[in-house]
Every structure is written in structure tokens, then in C-alpha cells.
């Protein structure tokens, strides 16, 4: 793998325009009609934002001087991974929940539609956040500035995780679905097995055979038994989903993959991050042996998703696809060494 490509990766996300074959594009005319129907005002300008990895996002300037963000989901016929269900509804619900709870800077949801004839897909509209995604400015900031931002992120992430649910599992799961009523050990095991099943279905080659991975994972699940309280986990809180301005966090977005589980699944606890500021802001010290083993399982889960999702997203960036394979091979070895 070329070092230039590796340097462009942060937190398991490649900082590039991630074009793929599942994004549902809409026209300015469609967006204009939507603005008139929703707000009674015209759309002056509409620009597609290139940072999304699945949904298509547009910045729309309205004739009343306001600017909004429209997120459009892939069409219902698109084949997604098993865990990617109810993503947009999950994001809308959790954003509204965070706004109601207070204390966490999230955008206000202005409108949501599960099935719209105009756009031909599920969508929602939210207010535009002030600031810039942290990943775009991080390298230009001083160590002290990064520390302050990441300390603040730790505080916010802890607040998110303080929300307790009634069950373990994906946020979008209904009462009779995956994980409801089961332990975290059972729930996580089902989650990682479903990812592997997606890989088998798409004939994705992994560093070792699927049965070996399943065996090694099953042998290491004991460490999950100490997780007994289902807490809200953002799970995708990487730098690209954090907006900053003047050294402060102005917003947190993309709760679409939220689940009820173990806070150690959060991105800043993963192997792509070693942030003293975040850990101090979160209020956590040295991890126990069991906690490190839990992190190893969660890191492998993410590494598997990053590699297997390429077959479902139809990414056009060959560098990204190659990186996910190399990353999984490296992550697999680290997983075995952690045991």
C-alpha cells in the first residue's frame, strides 16, 4: 500500500471524495420544488456536498436568507449490508432526542419524509451547522488547540453514552428483532456474524477463511459479559462528523449507525486514535485487560465492515478498496496478538 494513501486515512476513513454506485442524486429543480412545498420559499442555489459515504447531501440556499442541508438516502431497491437498516430514521430520531435532552450541539431537524414522490427516496432536512469538519482543519491546528477540541469531544461523547436504553442492539431494531432481550455478548456476536454473512454473500476475500474468524471471535467473547447496561453509542463519531470553529465544537452529526451497546465501541477508543485530550474529557483512565480485549473485538468488527462494505457501496476509488484490505490484514494480526 502506498504511504501517501495511508497518510490520507484517519480513523478508518479515507479523506477523499467517496463516489460510489449507490448514492441517489437529485436535481436542483427537485430540491427547489421541495423547498417551496416545505417552507414556502424558493431555492436560490443547491450544491452537492462530497463528504457522504452513503447518503447524498446538498447545501441549499433559500430566498429568505437561510441555508439548509438536505440528506437523501439511497433508493429502497439498493442492496445494503445487514446492519444498515433504518439508517435515516435512526439519524432523525437520535438528533431529535439529543436536541430534546440538551447539552450536545446537534443540528435541528426541520423536516423528514420516509417516502417522497418528488425526490424518489427517503430524505430529511436539517439546519446548516456553523464551522468546518474537524478532519479538514485538524492538521493546521496546534497541539494545544487539538487537545481542547478533543477534550470537549470526550465530554460530549460521554454525555451521549449516558443515555440508557431498554435493550442491546441496533437502534433501528424492533422489539422482535436482533438482540432484543439478549445480553451484550449475544447481541454483539450476532452483529459480527451478520457482517461475515454479508461478506460471504458478496464473495469478499478476507485475510483468512471465514470459519477461522468466527472461531477466533467466539473464543474471545467472555470479556463482553461485564457489559450489562445498554448505552447509546454514536459509533461513527470520527473527525469528519465533528464541526469546529474558533477552537470549539459547533456540532456533531451522523447518528445513523447508532446502537445500544458498549461505549468502548466509539471511534475515539479505537486503534486509529490515541488522544489524551479525549480520554481526559471523557473521564476514563487506563483500561483493564478485559476492556482492551473488548476494544480488540470492536476494532475487528469495524475493520471487517470497512472491507466488506466495498462490495455493497460500489466504490470507485481503487486506493480506498486496497487500503481496506491492507487495514483488515493488519487489524486481524493485532486482534490475534491482543488475546
Amino acid at each position: 500500500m502506498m504511504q501517501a494513501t495511508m497518510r490520507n486515512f484517519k480513523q478508518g476513513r479515507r479523506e477523499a471524495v467517496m463516489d460510489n454506485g449507490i448514492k441517489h442524486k437529485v436535481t436542483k429543480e427537485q430540491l427547489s420544488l421541495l423547498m417551496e412545498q416545505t417552507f414556502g420559499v424558493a431555492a436560490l442555489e443547491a450544491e452537492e456536498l462530497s463528504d457522504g459515504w452513503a447518503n447524498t447531501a446538498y447545501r441549499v440556499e433559500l430566498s429568505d436568507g437561510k441555508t439548509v442541508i438536505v440528506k437523501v438516502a439511497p433508493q429502497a431497491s439498493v442492496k445494503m449490508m445487514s446492519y444498515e437498516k433504518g439508517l435515516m430514521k435512526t439519524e432523525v430520531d437520535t438528533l431529535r432526542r439529543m436536541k430534546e435532552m440538551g447539552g450536545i450541539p446537534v443540528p435541528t431537524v426541520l423536516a423528514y419524509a420516509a417516502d417522497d414522490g418528488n425526490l424518489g427516496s427517503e430524505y430529511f432536512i436539517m439546519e446548516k451547522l456553523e464551522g468546518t469538519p474537524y478532519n479538514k482543519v485538524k492538521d493546521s491546528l496546534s497541539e494545544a488547540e487539538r487537545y481542547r477540541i478533543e477534550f470537549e469531544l470526550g465530554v460530549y461523547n460521554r454525555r451521549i453514552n449516558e443515555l440508557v436504553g431498554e435493550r442491546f442492539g441496533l437502534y433501528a431494531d424492533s422489539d422482535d428483532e436482533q438482540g432484543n432481550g439478549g445480553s451484550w455478548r449475544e447481541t454483539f456476536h450476532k452483529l459480527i456474524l451478520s457482517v461475515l454473512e454479508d461478506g460471504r454473500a458478496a464473495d469478499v476475500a478476507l485475510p483468512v477463511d471465514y470459519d477461522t474468524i468466527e472461531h477466533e471471535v467466539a473464543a474471545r467473547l467472555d470479556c463482553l459479559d461485564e457489559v450489562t447496561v445498554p448505552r447509546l453509542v454514536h459509533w461513527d463519531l470520527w473527525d469528519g462528523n465533528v464541526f469546529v470553529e474558533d477552537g470549539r465544537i459547533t456540532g456533531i452529526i451522523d447518528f445513523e449507525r447508532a446502537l445500544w451497546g458498549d461505549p468502548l465501541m466509539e471511534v475515539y477508543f479505537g486503534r486509529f486514535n490515541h488522544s489524551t485530550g479525549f480520554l481526559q474529557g471523557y473521564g476514563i483512565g487506563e483500561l483493564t485487560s478485559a476492556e482492551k480485549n473488548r476494544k480488540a473485538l470492536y476494532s475487528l468488527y469495524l475493520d471487517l465492515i470497512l472491507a466488506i462494505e466495498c462490495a455493497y457501496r460500489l466504490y470507485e476509488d481503487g486506493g480506498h478498496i486496497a487500503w481496506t484490505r491492507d487495514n483488515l490484514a493488519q487489524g486481524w494480526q493485532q486482534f490475534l496478538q491482543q488475546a
Side-chain angles (χ1 to χ4, degrees):
M1 183 67 183
M2 293 173 55
Q3 290 301 311
T5 303
M6 291 297 291
R7 285 196 297 269
N8 287 335
F9 252 93
K10 307 289 183 183
Q11 305 170 301
R13 300 294 193 204
R14 188 166 186 266
E15 297 186 29
V17 177
M18 291 311 300
D19 288 329
N20 61 49
I22 70 169
K23 284 187 176 182
H24 179 48
K25 307 295 183 76
V26 298
T27 66
K28 180 182 176 182
E29 289 71 26
Q30 288 175 294
L31 291 169
S32 296
L33 179 59
L34 178 63
M35 297 302 107
E36 291 173 0
Q37 292 174 338
T38 306
F39 304 116
V41 297
L44 300 180
E45 297 291 340
E47 176 188 8
E48 182 182 349
L49 305 176
S50 61
D51 295 333
W53 289 62
N55 297 319
T56 314
Y58 296 90
R59 179 172 56 240
V60 183
E61 297 181 14
L62 306 178
S63 58
D64 63 0
K66 296 178 181 178
T67 301
V68 299
I69 303 297
V70 181
K71 292 186 71 172
V72 184
Q75 292 182 298
S77 59
V78 170
K79 176 67 173 175
M80 306 285 281
M81 292 183 67
S82 299
Y83 84 99
E84 294 182 301
K85 55 182 174 181
L87 295 181
M88 187 159 285
K89 184 63 161 57
T90 293
E91 182 168 11
V92 169
D93 284 355
T94 50
L95 284 175
R96 286 172 170 167
R97 197 164 189 166
M98 294 296 103
K99 182 66 71 172
E100 182 177 313
M101 185 172 68
I104 300 169
V106 296
T108 299
V109 175
L110 304 173
Y112 165 72
D115 184 16
D116 178 74
N118 180 35
L119 298 189
S121 189
E122 185 180 18
Y123 73 88
F124 80 95
I125 307 171
M126 66 181 181
E127 67 173 329
K128 178 185 176 297
L129 291 171
E130 297 298 324
T132 305
Y134 184 38
N135 66 312
K136 295 185 181 299
V137 298
K138 186 173 185 177
D139 290 343
S140 67
L141 301 178
S142 68
E143 184 176 345
E145 289 171 322
R146 291 196 298 270
Y147 175 87
R148 287 195 295 271
I149 289 171
E150 291 169 17
F151 183 97
E152 189 177 22
L153 182 59
V155 172
Y156 287 139
N157 207 157
R158 178 66 177 260
R159 290 178 185 169
I160 293 170
N161 298 152
E162 286 174 350
L163 191 61
V164 175
E166 298 179 354
R167 59 169 176 79
F168 289 109
L170 301 174
Y171 190 96
D173 279 346
S174 61
D175 291 342
D176 59 349
E177 287 184 296
Q178 183 176 14
N180 189 42
S183 67
W184 175 236
R185 174 178 179 166
E186 294 168 334
T187 301
F188 180 77
H189 196 196
K190 290 177 182 178
L191 286 172
I192 199 166
L193 288 178
S194 72
V195 170
L196 289 168
E197 192 58 35
D198 288 337
R200 282 193 176 98
D203 198 25
V204 177
L206 302 182
V208 294
D209 64 87
Y210 283 79
D211 289 343
T212 296
I213 295 176
E214 290 178 358
H215 173 77
E216 295 294 341
V217 166
R220 292 163 170 78
L221 294 176
D222 288 355
C223 62
L224 303 182
D225 288 338
E226 63 185 19
V227 182
T228 59
V229 179
R231 297 187 177 276
L232 184 66
V233 178
H234 184 294
W235 194 71
D236 198 21
L237 196 50
W238 71 293
D239 292 341
N241 287 333
V242 179
F243 281 69
V244 299
E245 186 174 60
D246 298 329
R248 299 296 303 274
I249 293 176
T250 57
I252 291 172
I253 61 170
D254 281 9
F255 285 77
E256 62 189 10
R257 285 168 173 74
L259 68 151
W260 300 105
D262 181 1
L264 285 182
M265 290 188 76
E266 298 287 22
V267 168
Y268 257 83
F269 288 119
R271 66 186 183 90
F272 292 104
N273 293 279
H274 305 280
S275 171
T276 300
F278 176 85
L279 295 177
Q280 291 181 350
Y282 193 93
I284 191 169
E286 182 67 24
L287 298 182
T288 66
S289 176
E291 288 172 334
K292 290 177 181 177
N293 289 337
R294 280 153 53 192
K295 278 183 49 178
L297 282 166
Y298 305 149
S299 291
L300 178 63
Y301 177 63
L302 175 59
D303 292 340
L304 285 167
I305 287 176
L306 290 171
I308 292 170
E309 74 177 6
C310 293
Y312 291 83
R313 299 288 180 79
L314 308 178
Y315 288 132
E316 299 173 5
D317 187 338
H320 172 70
I321 296 170
W323 181 88
T324 64
R325 293 170 182 162
D326 291 348
N327 175 66
L328 177 55
Q330 180 183 19
W332 174 246
Q333 291 304 314
Q334 292 184 9
F335 172 74
L336 294 177
Q337 294 166 10
Q338 176 60 41

